[in-house]
Amino acid sequence: MELTERFLNYVKFDTQSSEDSTSVPSTPKQLIFARYLKEELEREGFDDVEMDEMGYIYATLRSNVRKEVPTIGFISHYDTSPDCSGKDVKPSIVRNYDGSDIELSPGIVSSPSKFPELLQHKGEDLIVTDGTTLLGADDKAGIAEIVQALCFLRDHREIPHGDIRMGFNPDEEIGMGAHHFDVEKFGCQWAYTIDGGDLGELEFENFNAAGAKIYIKGVSVHPGYAKGKMVNASRLAAEFATMLPGDETPEETEGYEGFYHLTGMESCTEHAKLSYIIRDHDRDRFEDRKRFMQRCVDEMNEKYGEGTVKAEINDQYYNMKEKIDPQMHVIDVVLKAMQASDVPPRVRPIRGGTDGAQLSFRGLPCPNIFAGGVNFHGPFEFVSVQVMEKAMQTIVKICELTAGYND
């Protein structure tokens, strides 16, 4: 099976995860794909293929060298974002893209004027959607690239490599993918998530992240007789939102700049709830942001009475950089592999997080490498066939270089 065929087969499966679920995986339809993938890995002849009851899949390509070399791993997630439907994906391939507008469906156009990233892929073959669903390159492109790379190594015994582990998991898009990943069973010295974006992306810095819920308790009274009695939770919610810096939001920041992001608001006179995510690359500034939000809560309670406003702030993940820095050989291998594969590296911080961030803090250094997808989580998502092939080549070269790691 070729890489493109493998990927197009994967995106037929609806694997959307759900933030509102408490089950693992968060949606049962993810297990349908997981079972299919497990059977495919078995058909391809990999060793140690297993899937646990939560849908975590592990497999091995055995070493073909006699000396002892590090066991490394490659990880991708198979769930797709709750932000956009992943059901009945209808991909098509735009051959030799010429830089013009792409009509995905009648009246739905993907244009370089809105998505200038398209112009970086002139002359390439682009896999696009019909404009009604996401594509699923995040992260089924990563899965296809890993499986294809290890099939290539299986069939080309002349390329030396040690034991190579694969890990595929659900629920990354809702921040839960690494929670049940069995690091001890995986048994690797280090690993890579193949979950990045466009050609050459290499990421080993990510946000420190927290989620916050702000609960506001109001008092409902007939508005005609409300003076001195009503506490309008909706109005207090709006007031609280304005206490946070207006220029420190996702739409006003870039690079290493952190933010407060209001992701949802539910309110009536009697009660209100605001949902936030808090992000910053710098750990000290991250802690300052959480303290600042709590101070805003305290000020509201001083103004409106103790117990009017309550905050629940919970850390979600941390910047993997502090775990990768002491082991930069993990990055050096990738840079050499990219150079050998004629891939210009683009090292930059992730304005988000990956399963690799959580795994790095669980003792498995795990930076993130490009998978090729662009415009994730929406109907204008696309992936270049040629970039996917470069990702596959990079994986192969990482495995080869690791075989000579102790030389």
Side-chain angles (χ1 to χ4, degrees):
M1 186 181 295
E2 297 299 320
L3 176 59
T4 300
E5 180 186 358
R6 197 180 296 276
F7 171 68
L8 292 176
N9 198 30
Y10 291 167
V11 300
K12 294 175 183 176
F13 292 84
D14 179 11
T15 55
Q16 189 178 47
S17 51
S18 171
E19 295 172 311
D20 299 323
S21 172
T22 58
S23 64
V24 183
S26 61
T27 53
K29 58 189 173 183
Q30 291 183 70
L31 289 175
I32 298 173
F33 176 72
R35 284 190 286 267
Y36 171 85
L37 182 58
K38 173 181 179 289
E39 292 170 1
E40 180 177 289
L41 296 174
E42 290 171 336
R43 288 195 303 271
E44 295 288 7
F46 294 112
D47 293 306
D48 308 324
V49 179
E50 59 179 305
M51 184 182 84
D52 66 22
E53 68 279 3
M54 294 177 288
Y56 287 73
I57 302 168
Y58 309 94
T60 306
L61 175 65
R62 291 288 182 208
S63 174
N64 65 359
V65 296
R66 295 187 179 185
K67 64 181 180 178
E68 185 174 340
V69 298
T71 298
I72 64 170
F74 296 92
I75 299 167
S76 290
H77 65 90
Y78 52 76
D79 67 311
T80 60
S81 172
D83 295 343
C84 183
S85 173
K87 184 180 181 182
D88 298 327
V89 174
K90 297 179 178 64
S92 61
I93 303 178
V94 180
R95 302 286 184 185
N96 193 23
Y97 173 62
D98 62 5
S100 62
D101 288 357
I102 302 172
E103 186 175 48
L104 304 177
S105 288
I108 305 176
V109 175
S110 183
S111 172
S113 63
K114 186 172 183 180
F115 303 108
E117 303 89 351
L118 283 163
L119 297 177
Q120 298 174 20
H121 298 281
K122 289 177 65 174
E124 298 174 9
D125 302 322
L126 306 187
I127 304 176
V128 300
T129 75
D130 69 349
T132 64
T133 69
L134 48 68
L135 177 61
D138 180 15
D139 191 23
K140 289 169 184 163
I143 299 174
E145 291 152 8
I146 293 170
V147 175
Q148 198 71 31
L150 270 62
C151 286
F152 183 87
L153 286 169
R154 176 203 63 198
D155 296 338
H156 290 78
R157 301 283 298 173
E158 72 277 9
I159 302 175
H161 61 82
D163 282 349
I164 310 297
R165 293 280 279 158
M166 291 176 275
F168 305 116
N169 58 269
D171 290 341
E172 188 271 352
E173 296 293 358
I174 59 172
M176 301 295 289
H179 285 209
H180 301 284
F181 194 97
D182 195 329
V183 171
E184 183 177 353
K185 177 187 291 183
F186 202 48
C188 294
Q189 278 89 331
W190 70 85
Y192 302 97
T193 49
I194 310 299
D195 190 21
D198 215 341
L199 181 70
E201 285 191 6
L202 170 59
E203 301 155 328
F204 59 94
E205 299 181 67
N206 61 277
F207 277 137
N208 297 288
K213 304 289 186 186
I214 307 298
Y215 298 95
I216 300 174
K217 183 169 65 174
V219 177
S220 181
V221 178
H222 188 290
Y225 309 96
K227 185 172 182 179
K229 301 173 186 176
M230 177 183 287
V231 178
N232 188 338
S234 292
R235 189 179 63 78
L236 267 61
E239 180 179 344
F240 182 89
T242 64
M243 296 174 74
L244 301 178
D247 59 351
E248 297 181 19
T249 62
E251 60 268 36
E252 298 291 336
T253 54
E254 61 183 353
Y256 285 95
E257 297 170 332
F259 56 74
Y260 305 91
H261 179 33
L262 178 61
T263 61
M265 180 186 296
E266 306 168 13
S267 72
C268 61
T269 302
E270 193 169 6
H271 51 79
K273 181 177 79 171
L274 298 92
S275 300
Y276 283 91
I277 59 174
I278 304 169
R279 301 289 190 263
D280 209 296
H281 281 91
D282 183 88
R283 186 67 174 265
D284 291 336
R285 288 198 300 268
F286 172 64
E287 298 297 335
D288 287 342
R289 288 184 182 281
K290 293 187 292 180
R291 284 190 287 266
F292 178 76
M293 182 170 279
Q294 185 60 56
R295 285 200 300 273
C296 292
V297 169
D298 295 341
E299 288 178 19
M300 292 283 286
N301 283 326
E302 288 177 11
K303 184 175 180 180
Y304 295 106
E306 191 63 36
T308 302
V309 184
K310 182 179 73 171
E312 292 181 358
I313 304 175
N314 297 298
D315 288 357
Q316 295 170 320
Y317 52 83
Y318 303 109
N319 190 344
M320 76 171 89
K321 185 176 188 296
E322 67 180 84
K323 298 298 182 182
I324 301 296
D325 274 351
Q327 304 192 61
M328 284 301 289
H329 62 275
V330 174
I331 302 301
D332 293 339
V333 169
V334 181
L335 293 174
K336 291 176 183 177
M338 287 185 176
Q339 182 180 21
S341 304
D342 195 27
V343 173
R346 296 195 298 159
V347 181
R348 61 183 190 178
I350 311 171
R351 287 184 60 78
T354 71
D355 285 337
Q358 296 182 47
L359 294 171
S360 293
F361 279 87
R362 292 177 56 197
L364 180 66
C366 197
N368 192 41
I369 300 174
F370 71 100
V374 183
N375 295 334
F376 291 158
H377 298 188
F380 298 99
E381 182 185 6
F382 70 90
V383 66
S384 160
V385 171
Q386 286 76 13
V387 174
M388 289 178 64
E389 290 171 346
K390 284 294 186 182
M392 188 199 92
Q393 293 168 20
T394 301
I395 293 168
V396 169
K397 187 56 68 171
I398 289 171
C399 297
E400 182 180 358
L401 289 171
T402 305
Y405 177 73
N406 290 329
D407 289 349

